[in-house]
Amino acid sequence: MGKLSTHVLDITQGKPGAGVEIALYAVNGNNKTLLKNAVTNQDGRVDVPLLQGGEMRVGQYELVFSAGDYFAAQGVDLPAPRFVDRVTLAFGIADADQNYHVPLVVSPWSYSTYRGS
């Protein structure tokens, strides 16, 4: 069985994004169901997979990262409203037996992601 994991990299400081709040949602049409809340550790990772084993299901998901709150807590001078605030990564799991690693590479001005394993 596969698993879903994530991590956050703060590219303004070149270090892991520790203390970033993350929410994981299952998406079905216009309906979203909160599955889990997590906070990244000192390595910018969540301590356990967000989904694993029987929790892994084919479908659409969203990871929502509280990046703006993270940068504010780091003392970064942010505009109001924040340019990058809550980052939503919408993605699909097509094969529940595979590993899906969905990281966030972020600054107060940009972000990106990719599918890892």
Side-chain angles (χ1 to χ4, degrees):
M1 297 300 286
K3 67 181 179 183
L4 172 65
S5 59
T6 189
H7 77 269
V8 177
L9 178 61
D10 172 351
I11 59 173
T12 61
Q13 300 182 66
K15 67 177 192 175
V20 178
E21 294 180 12
I22 302 169
L24 171 65
Y25 294 89
V27 179
N28 185 3
N30 291 328
N31 298 319
K32 295 180 186 180
T33 303
L34 177 65
L35 299 178
K36 287 199 178 148
N37 287 304
V39 177
T40 57
N41 62 23
Q42 291 301 103
D43 196 30
R45 299 177 183 279
V46 176
D47 289 327
V48 296
L50 294 168
L51 298 174
Q52 63 184 337
E55 299 173 316
M56 284 287 286
R57 292 189 174 91
V58 170
Q60 294 294 123
Y61 296 87
E62 288 183 1
L63 282 169
V64 180
F65 298 82
S66 295
D69 291 346
Y70 163 79
F71 286 115
Q74 298 296 306
V76 176
D77 186 22
L78 300 170
R82 299 167 179 165
F83 184 72
V84 170
D85 193 19
R86 286 191 182 91
V87 176
T88 300
L89 301 180
F91 63 98
I93 293 178
D95 184 346
D97 291 327
Q98 292 187 17
N99 292 336
Y100 286 76
H101 184 68
V102 184
L104 176 67
V105 180
V106 67
S107 83
W109 309 108
S110 68
Y111 62 89
S112 66
T113 191
Y114 56 90
R115 180 184 170 197
S117 58

